[in-house]
Amino acid sequence: MPFLGQDWRSPGWRWVKTEDGWKRCEPFSHALEDGNNQLNDISHTVIITGDDENEEVYNTEDCEFAAKKRKKDHFRSNTDSQCFYREKWIYVHKESTKERHGYCTLGEAFNRLDFSSAIQDIRRFNYVVKLLQLIAKSQLTSLSGAAQKNYFNILDKIVQKVLEDQYNPRLIKDLLQDLSSTLCILIRGVGKSVLVGNINIWICRLETILLWQQQLKNLQMNKQVNNGLTLSDLPLHMLNNILYRFSDGWDIITLGQVTPTLYMLSEDRQLWKKLCQYHFAEKQFCRHLIPSEKGHIDWKLMYFALQKYYPIKEQYGDTLHFCRHCSILFWKDTGHPCTASDPNTCLMPVSPQHFIDLFKF
């Protein structure tokens, strides 16, 4: 079977499905090709460096190698010219086959699934942050050098988004706390750790994390100026319905600090009982009954006590999906090249922890 390209291992051309059928994608733009042609001209010249006394002449082969190196550097630095099609899905395979060599790693999946764009979607923001938090706790050393660099670039975008929009700072504070704790442990045991890269790079990253933590600590929430209808103007039953739709106890406490009315509603025993029943089984909270001074069960304390022993249910606006037929991991709205007759029956939502487990061998 012939291959296209200088390297015999080349996968050939990239194809994208359009309304008119499958079309071949050009890997480079015309601007980049013009730049490469200029670099090709350089490769056929003789380069002389040094003084008259110490003169060094590079032969044609050395020039070609240097030209190829400059092409790669030019392609990596010129982000505007990267117009080739990039799939936002990845085939999850755990063993080598004749068709596919090697394994799918966590770092490869992290790079391919376009988390940089996902954090701009409010439905996916919490999902990506939770995933980054799980990686920080246990899988940071499993990432390749490129994936680790991508990890911190995405983290930087998340921090800047929170600083600009003041959206869910508590979530990113927990992430940075877990990440700094992990890095401190790994850096102290640098002789035994498996961190990819120079130790000085990781020290700089740790200093950056501490700077982010300080910026979030000094974050001032902007007061919204609105002369129209506010949250306090809503009737009590509507405010109560809003509180009953929260699945996180800390969100209920935070909302209860807005007004005295919301505080009164946030202390409702029935509200916290429903929250406990939603997250935990009856056998679980029966083992940790906490009576109040009046002899009733303090469901609010129960919730936070049970949270220490058992995981709570996670809710996300949008998640990654796994196709059991194709073994492909993807964002649902971007789709994937499924060959099943009814693709919707093969889809399975993937939680952040399930995402980590998919790449444990």
Side-chain angles (χ1 to χ4, degrees), residues 200-231:
N200 295 324
I201 295 177
W202 287 100
I203 293 176
C204 291
R205 286 173 176 172
L206 182 58
E207 292 175 350
T208 303
I209 293 171
L210 297 176
L211 176 62
W212 286 338
Q213 288 178 317
Q214 188 63 36
Q215 290 176 340
L216 291 172
K217 184 178 180 181
N218 299 331
L219 178 64
Q220 298 292 331
M221 305 298 288
N222 296 330
K223 187 175 181 180
Q224 299 292 333
V225 179
N226 189 359
N227 297 325
L229 188 67
T230 63
L231 188 65

Side-chain angles (χ1 to χ4, degrees), residues 226-285:
N226 189 359
N227 297 325
L229 188 67
T230 63
L231 188 65
S232 302
D233 298 326
L234 296 177
L236 289 178
H237 73 276
M238 293 186 67
L239 294 175
N240 201 40
N241 287 337
I242 292 174
L243 285 168
Y244 269 84
R245 294 183 181 275
F246 282 93
S247 61
D248 192 327
W250 284 109
D251 290 336
I252 295 176
I253 291 178
T254 303
L255 185 59
Q257 296 173 350
V258 177
T259 64
T261 302
L262 287 171
Y263 175 77
M264 177 192 67
L265 295 175
S266 66
E267 294 294 318
D268 181 27
R269 289 179 61 252
Q270 191 65 22
L271 171 65
W272 290 98
K273 181 180 179 180
K274 291 288 186 182
L275 197 62
C276 289
Q277 291 175 340
Y278 172 76
H279 287 290
F280 311 106
E282 186 175 355
K283 293 181 179 180
Q284 293 174 337
F285 58 75

Side-chain angles (χ1 to χ4, degrees), residues 38 197 315 356:
Q38 296 177 1
Q315 283 188 340
I356 300 293

Side-chain angles (χ1 to χ4, degrees), residues 15-53:
W15 297 81
V16 58
K17 188 175 183 180
T18 64
E19 295 180 354
D20 300 328
W22 289 89
K23 292 186 177 180
R24 192 180 72 189
C25 295
E26 296 296 335
F28 304 106
S29 65
H30 296 292
L32 185 58
E33 289 178 354
D34 295 339
N36 289 340
N37 292 333
Q38 296 177 1
L39 294 175
N40 286 330
D41 295 338
I42 298 176
S43 64
H44 296 289
T45 61
V46 178
I47 303 175
I48 301 177
T49 60
D51 300 328
D52 295 336
E53 299 178 356

Side-chain angles (χ1 to χ4, degrees), residues 107 110-111 139-153 194-197 202 205:
F110 189 81
N111 286 339
Q139 301 296 321
L140 191 62
T141 56
S142 300
L143 300 180
S144 64
Q148 288 174 357
K149 184 178 180 181
N150 190 21
Y151 179 95
F152 281 92
N153 287 338
V194 289
L195 285 174
V196 178
W202 287 100
R205 286 173 176 172

Side-chain angles (χ1 to χ4, degrees), residues 118-177:
I119 61 174
Q120 304 302 326
D121 190 334
I122 194 172
R123 301 172 302 164
R124 301 174 180 172
F125 182 85
N126 292 359
Y127 181 89
V128 176
V129 172
K130 182 63 176 180
L131 178 59
L132 264 62
Q133 188 175 13
L134 292 176
I135 292 176
K137 288 181 178 180
S138 60
Q139 301 296 321
L140 191 62
T141 56
S142 300
L143 300 180
S144 64
Q148 288 174 357
K149 184 178 180 181
N150 190 21
Y151 179 95
F152 281 92
N153 287 338
I154 294 173
L155 187 58
D156 182 27
K157 293 180 180 180
I158 291 175
V159 173
Q160 300 307 319
K161 178 178 177 62
V162 173
L163 293 175
E164 293 175 3
D165 302 340
Q166 293 90 37
Y167 177 74
N168 209 342
R170 177 172 55 83
L171 196 63
I172 188 63
K173 286 179 181 178
D174 294 340
L175 165 59
L176 293 178
Q177 181 61 40

